[in-house]
Amino acid sequence: MLCVTVFCVLSLIWGGSWCEDLRFPPGFQFGAATSAYQVEGAWNASDKGRNVWDIMLHNTPSVTADGQSGDIACDSYHQWRMDIHMAKTLGLHFYRFSIAWSRILPTGFSNKISKDGVGYYNKLIDGLLRSGVEPVVTLYHYDLPQNIQSLGGWANPLIVDWFADYAGIVFSHYADRVKTWITINEPLILCDHMYNVGDIVPMVKEDLLGPYVCNKNVLLAHAKAWRIYNDTYKPHYHGKVSIANNPIWLEPLSEEDEELTELAREFGTGRYSDPIYTEQGGWPPAVEEIMAEYSKKQGFPYSRLPSFTEEEKKLIQGTYDFFSLNQYTSRLVRAAHEDETPGTWFSFGSKELNVVLETDPKWAFSDLKMIAVTPSGMRRQINWIKERYNNVSILITENGFATRDPGLYDTQRIHFIREYLREVLLAIKEDGANVIGYTVWSLMDNFEWMFGYTMKFGLYAVDFSHPLRLRTPRASALFYANVIKHHSLDNHSPEQYQHLKSTNLKSNNSSPATISIKELLLIFILIHVIL
Ligand code: BGC
């Protein structure tokens, strides 16, 4: 006993985790995620309509890093059996995927429902359920029907009803089997990032009203969809619905910046969550005040942050069954110096708040430089949500690591997932947070938006030069399968996967990953031996 105690004390002193209880609570669920445009391909299959990506990338391919589009992507429209096989092999409790709006409603509107579109997701959902993997379905993941974009997209208030129509139709087809729903993925990207920076499709930069009008419309659209499910489907099927938010955890650079940092958190996370999760509803009051003052200074006779009517506030307030959290990274916050103009929100700062966002020179980064490796931000973000939103249950719906290297021995990814999961455990065990599950982004390499195929997030590597888009498990897939199998982070370390070094893929970006059948067989045998 004494030996054990001494061992543990030494472990604590050296910052080790030998005596930590690294088991997840019973019922904790593990999943992996993708989204329609990033994996499906089949951009013109059957009567599918065109979305904003189809149009922009066919007209101007040069906007993506490699000039590529999601026309074929992982070809999941045809290779969905492989996707289910991977999910099953990993032992996933759930697979989060999204439905392509324009595949279900070719015009974007409710006048026509595609039989083939509906059929595709029926096959996927039924196949997952037969394999014991729960489908977690996102209704909208950045792939707006072009018709709706042509009418102003998320800046047109009519989108609220168009989205509600679409949501109602999707629920009517799948709610009998799908029990967990996400209405809209990451409004911080589709409103704040898109309208402030304009560098993501549909590439509309309008930073005065764009982010805020979009913010309000997204909340109303989500709320209407939630209410349709709640009133019509929940009584029969008892499922749950949320909206996926992706805050960047914000940490003050110094003690003096604490108050400003909290304001920035309210500006980033609160603006998308307070109206839904707080008892009083509506915008965070401090943000509302700052926006009103700033708008006045700019000569606006009204606030750029549109107000809610009492009816709208009530419509949105309480429209959640859990908090869907996509958590990747952190930034440091400080006040802008006197002669300094803050960069654009949300990556570099905010002129409205007079805030600058920085990274710590000591932080490591993924190859996608936006993602600084900051596991402690996961625990702090969870705690912020827990405190602010009355210990709401939290499902982590995305977290993952990007590399340019397509290699199979992806120890950095293993390290990233392990460290973030450790913080999730600490949040649950030490802080009493109600985190119910965790999702890796992504199940497989896919079309990484403006980065095309140059960034890899997959537990599985995808050979984008192969007609079947072959998928090959990386070391991180073996690691994650072990975590799921043992329901614990115990006894897993990157060194266990050394054998994959010899089966590494070419790490040259320009030449797509290839792997011989012999190597593929060897990997599958290894997975089965290990599991
Ligand atoms: C998005 C994914 C994206 C991932 C990595 C998330 O914010 O939901 O679509 O691929 O980040 O950039």
Side-chain angles (χ1 to χ4, degrees):
M1 184 62 200
L2 184 65
C3 285
V4 173
T5 315
V6 171
F7 190 62
C8 290
V9 169
L10 287 176
S11 160
L12 275 177
I13 292 170
W14 279 312
S17 57
W18 303 321
C19 296
E20 239 177 271
D21 180 4
L22 295 172
R23 284 168 304 174
F24 289 88
F28 188 90
Q29 304 248 302
F30 291 96
T34 61
S35 89
Y37 188 75
Q38 294 179 277
V39 300
E40 281 178 9
W43 69 280
N44 59 355
S46 182
D47 52 355
K48 177 182 165 291
R50 304 295 171 258
N51 66 39
V52 289
W53 293 88
D54 296 326
I55 299 296
M56 175 68 79
L57 302 189
H58 291 168
N59 291 341
T60 324
S62 58
V63 297
T64 56
D66 52 5
Q68 299 290 318
S69 71
D71 281 4
I72 306 179
C74 307
D75 198 23
S76 288
Y77 187 73
H78 300 106
Q79 307 303 338
W80 53 275
R81 287 183 188 83
M82 280 212 260
D83 299 349
I84 295 172
H85 178 73
M86 291 188 290
K88 192 178 172 187
T89 308
L90 288 170
L92 298 185
H93 300 119
F94 63 89
Y95 172 43
R96 176 183 172 222
F97 62 92
S98 80
I99 290 186
W101 187 336
S102 53
R103 206 181 281 294
I104 298 289
L105 303 181
T107 63
F109 307 111
S110 53
N111 63 316
K112 182 171 186 278
I113 301 172
S114 165
K115 208 166 145 249
D116 288 350
V118 169
Y120 168 63
Y121 297 108
N122 268 329
K123 285 187 290 191
L124 181 57
I125 290 167
D126 291 343
L128 284 166
L129 289 170
R130 269 197 306 275
S131 298
V133 181
E134 195 206 330
V136 169
V137 174
T138 308
L139 294 174
Y140 174 73
H141 199 123
Y142 306 163
D143 49 352
L144 201 63
Q146 180 61 44
N147 284 351
I148 294 185
Q149 183 57 42
S150 302
L151 296 173
W154 285 102
N156 182 344
L158 294 176
I159 198 173
V160 173
D161 285 326
W162 296 330
F163 180 76
D165 291 346
Y166 161 60
I169 288 167
V170 174
F171 292 147
S172 75
H173 284 95
Y174 310 119
D176 56 338
R177 286 153 292 153
V178 175
K179 299 298 161 64
T180 307
W181 296 90
I182 313 289
T183 53
I184 295 166
N185 186 66
E186 300 189 354
L188 195 62
I189 299 280
L190 73 105
C191 298
D192 284 30
H193 182 81
M194 212 285 284
Y195 285 107
N196 277 315
V197 188
D199 68 351
I200 180 167
V201 172
M203 303 184 96
V204 180
K205 183 175 180 322
E206 199 300 300
D207 60 357
L208 288 174
L209 300 185
Y212 308 102
V213 171
C214 175
N215 187 163
K216 180 176 172 181
N217 290 341
V218 156
L219 288 169
L220 289 167
H222 155 79
K224 282 208 169 175
W226 186 91
R227 291 195 182 281
I228 291 171
Y229 184 87
N230 196 60
D231 298 349
T232 309
Y233 299 97
K234 197 170 187 177
H236 300 288
Y237 303 120
H238 315 291
K240 49 190 186 176
V241 184
S242 183
I243 178 171
N245 276 311
N246 62 315
I248 291 180
W249 173 247
L250 298 175
E251 193 70 26
L253 186 66
S254 71
E255 250 174 53
E256 286 160 29
D257 301 305
E258 182 57 72
E259 215 175 293
L260 197 55
T261 304
E262 186 58 15
L263 181 66
R265 291 175 195 138
E266 292 184 359
F267 191 66
T269 316
R271 203 156 30 84
Y272 289 98
S273 304
D274 278 20
I276 299 174
Y277 297 92
T278 61
E279 266 164 39
Q280 68 278 15
W283 304 117
V287 171
E288 207 167 16
E289 205 177 303
I290 286 236
M291 285 304 296
E293 277 170 26
Y294 197 89
S295 307
K296 206 167 167 190
K297 267 196 249 158
Q298 291 177 297
F300 281 95
Y302 47 80
S303 175
R304 287 164 54 208
L305 184 68
S307 55
F308 291 116
T309 63
E310 275 314 305
E311 203 186 326
E312 287 171 337
K313 249 191 211 174
K314 281 204 194 99
L315 180 82
I316 298 170
Q317 200 278 328
T319 54
Y320 67 91
D321 300 298
F322 63 98
F323 193 106
S324 164
L325 171 65
N326 293 0
Q327 185 67 39
Y328 286 87
T329 195
S330 309
R331 289 293 182 271
L332 300 171
V333 178
R334 66 166 172 83
H337 306 311
E338 242 171 57
D339 49 359
E340 188 181 17
T341 313
T344 40
W345 182 258
F346 67 86
S347 299
F348 302 105
S350 157
K351 295 181 188 59
E352 287 80 1
L353 308 185
N354 200 34
V355 144
V356 171
L357 303 185
E358 289 185 350
T359 54
D360 186 323
K362 291 195 286 294
W363 289 345
F365 288 84
S366 85
D367 283 341
L368 203 155
K369 292 300 169 216
M370 178 69 202
I371 303 178
V373 182
T374 54
S376 62
M378 172 68 100
R379 179 177 179 183
R380 291 180 193 164
Q381 184 68 65
I382 290 171
N383 272 294
W384 191 87
I385 293 166
K386 165 180 173 263
E387 295 306 319
R388 195 169 179 95
Y389 306 129
N390 197 20
N391 205 7
V392 60
S393 65
I394 300 173
L395 177 62
I396 296 160
T397 35
E398 274 184 42
N399 173 242
F401 185 79
T403 57
R404 282 186 183 277
D405 185 346
L408 296 183
Y409 186 59
D410 56 342
T411 52
Q412 279 179 298
R413 180 169 292 107
I414 293 178
H415 190 70
F416 182 96
I417 296 174
R418 191 175 197 282
E419 287 309 302
Y420 275 70
L421 271 173
R422 198 167 150 244
E423 296 290 330
V424 172
L425 270 179
L426 289 170
I428 298 172
K429 297 193 173 177
E430 301 287 318
D431 313 329
N434 190 5
V435 186
I436 56 174
Y438 170 88
T439 314
V440 170
W441 183 272
S442 174
L443 176 62
M444 61 190 137
D445 294 341
N446 55 52
F447 178 77
E448 178 49 32
W449 306 119
M450 306 314 280
F451 295 91
Y453 298 99
T454 63
M455 289 293 164
K456 321 284 175 192
F457 272 92
L459 295 171
Y460 280 70
V462 175
D463 182 349
F464 291 103
S465 68
H466 195 285
L468 295 175
R469 298 299 190 270
L470 288 183
R471 289 104 157 105
T472 309
R474 292 200 165 99
S476 56
L478 305 187
F479 160 77
Y480 196 49
N482 263 328
V483 171
I484 298 173
K485 186 173 175 200
H486 298 287
H487 211 65
S488 167
L489 287 175
D490 274 329
N491 303 319
H492 306 300
S493 72
E495 289 70 39
Q496 279 177 274
Y497 310 102
Q498 291 268 8
H499 58 276
L500 281 180
K501 260 184 173 168
S502 55
T503 55
N504 221 351
L505 300 178
K506 283 183 212 153
S507 57
N508 176 354
N509 255 327
S510 54
S511 64
T514 53
I515 188 162
S516 72
I517 295 293
K518 227 162 111 194
E519 286 170 338
L520 194 68
L521 275 175
L522 180 69
I523 289 163
F524 274 106
I525 291 166
L526 280 169
I527 296 178
H528 289 297
V529 170
I530 287 169
L531 300 186

